[in-house]
Structure formats: structure tokens, C-alpha cells
């Protein structure tokens, strides 16, 4: 009984607390939770026992790196190309795509650093995994961003994007947790 009461209170309190937060911390928290959840799903897809530390690392990566970068990127894109005209949407989609390699590099590097990998190991993993991750991002995100920039209010874009990011989080988790390949 007490457990269901706690769950109900949490279900009410958490969204309320997020709504009262400033936009940047709110985005960071939501994206951190989305990335942790994406890692949890990824582990279940791989039929692995849940590694809570791994999910926490991905959540921390979302809160410390991916969330703030996404928030600042969406804010900047809207300030440079405001509105929902075809020209503005196209410019924002292209601008977002241009920033994707940096975002993916920062996300993967942060997750690996939190895992305790050395700089040499992170560099080696980026060499092997950055290009495939960026290719996948170019396949997925332009269509999502066309929808976001055309149909979603600027203030809601990072949050709505994080919904799509749940699926992306599963993919990034799979890339983040590939075995380290020895340098050639």
C-alpha cells in the first residue's frame, strides 16, 4: 500500500518539480532520465541483467553534457533562424546536423570518461565509433528535426526531442557500451 502511495506522489511531484525548474536544468534532468531509460532498455534488448551503474553513467552524461548542449543548441538555432517558415526550418535542420558530430563526440566521450576509460582509450573508441554514430544520426535526426522545428514551440523542443531521444538513447547506449577494441 505504502509503495503505491509513494509511486502516486512521485508521479505527481516529479512533473510538477520539473515544470518549476529553469529551462536549462529541466532539459538536463529530462534528457538525463531519458538516457538512463534508454540504457535500461538497451540492456533488456541485449538480455543482460540490469547494470544500474551503467544506466547511472548514461543518465549523468545526459545531465552533464547532452542535456545542456541540446538546450543551448535549440536556443541558439531559434535565435539565429526564428520561426517556422520553410527557410527557417531548413536552416535549423542543417545547423543541427552540422553540430551533430560535436554533440555525439561529447556524449560518447563523457560516458566513457565516467566509465573510467583513459584518454587514449576514448580517442581509440571515437576513431572506431564516431563515424558510424554520426551516419546514423544523419539518417534519424533530420526528419525528427523537421517535425520539431515546424510543429513544436521553441520552449518545448528540447523536451519533445528527448522523447525521440529515448530511441536514440538506446542506439547511443549500444555504441557507448561496445567492447573496447585494441589499438591497431
Amino acid at each position: 500500500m505504502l509503495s503505491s502511495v509513494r509511486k502516486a506522489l512521485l508521479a505527481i511531484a516529479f512533473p510538477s518539480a520539473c515544470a518549476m525548474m529553469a529551462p536549462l536544468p529541466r532539459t538536463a534532468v529530462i534528457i538525463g532520465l531519458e538516457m538512463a531509460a534508454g540504457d535500461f532498455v538497451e540492456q533488456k534488448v541485449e538480455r543482460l541483467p540490469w547494470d544500474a551503474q551503467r544506466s547511472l553513467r548514461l543518465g549523468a552524461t545526459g545531465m552533464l553534457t547532452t542535456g545542456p548542449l541540446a538546450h543551448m543548441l535549440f536556443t541558439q538555432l531559434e535565435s539565429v533562424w526564428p520561426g517556422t517558415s520553410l527557410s527557417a526550418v531548413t536552416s535549423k535542420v542543417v545547423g543541427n546536423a552540422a553540430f551533430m558530430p560535436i554533440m555525439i563526440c561529447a556524449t560518447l566521450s563523457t560516458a566513457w570518461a565516467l566509465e573510467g576509460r583513459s584518454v587514449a582509450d576514448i580517442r581509440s573508441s571515437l576513431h572506431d565509433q564516431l563515424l558510424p554514430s554520426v551516419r546514423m544520426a544523419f539518417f534519424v535526426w533530420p526528419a525528427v528535426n523537421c517535425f520539431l522545428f515546424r510543429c513544436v514551440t521553441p520552449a518545448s523542443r528540447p523536451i519533445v526531442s528527448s522523447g525521440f531521444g529515448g530511441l536514440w538513447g538506446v542506439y547511443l547506449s549500444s555504441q557507448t557500451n561496445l567492447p573496447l577494441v585494441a589499438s591497431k
Side-chain angles (χ1 to χ4, degrees):
M1 174 71 172
L2 187 55
S3 176
S4 61
V5 170
R6 268 193 223 143
K7 287 179 185 176
L9 288 174
L10 184 59
I12 294 167
F14 182 74
S16 299
C18 282
M20 292 186 295
M21 293 173 79
L24 177 64
R26 179 179 55 230
T27 301
V29 166
I30 290 172
I31 290 178
L33 290 171
E34 165 267 309
M35 288 181 66
D39 181 66
F40 174 80
V41 170
E42 160 63 16
Q43 290 181 52
K44 293 303 168 193
V45 166
E46 290 184 7
R47 293 179 166 46
L48 298 171
W50 183 43
D51 179 349
Q53 291 297 317
R54 182 177 126 170
S55 294
L56 286 172
R57 279 193 304 271
L58 266 289
T61 298
M63 288 179 66
L64 298 171
T65 302
T66 313
L69 285 175
H71 179 84
M72 290 183 275
L73 175 62
F74 278 108
T75 301
Q76 188 63 31
L77 291 172
E78 189 60 34
S79 72
V80 173
W81 297 292
T84 59
S85 69
L86 180 60
S87 174
V89 169
T90 302
S91 297
K92 287 183 264 197
V93 169
V94 170
N96 190 297
F99 193 72
M100 270 184 223
I102 296 165
M103 178 82 81
I104 293 168
C105 181
T107 298
L108 293 174
S109 297
T110 300
W112 291 327
L114 290 173
E115 186 181 299
R117 291 191 190 186
S118 69
V119 172
D121 287 344
I122 292 170
R123 186 177 301 129
S124 175
S125 293
L126 283 173
H127 181 268
D128 295 337
Q129 296 172 30
L130 184 59
L131 188 57
S133 296
V134 170
R135 272 194 214 124
M136 180 60 83
F138 286 156
F139 178 73
V140 171
W141 285 105
V144 169
N145 286 330
C146 282
F147 165 76
L148 287 173
F149 292 127
R150 180 74 179 144
C151 302
V152 179
T153 63
S156 299
R157 285 179 188 151
I159 305 305
V160 174
S161 177
S162 76
F164 291 101
L167 296 173
W168 180 246
V170 172
Y171 173 76
L172 272 186
S173 173
S174 71
Q175 292 304 296
T176 301
N177 293 293
L178 288 173
L180 184 60
V181 179
S183 297
K184 298 168 186 162

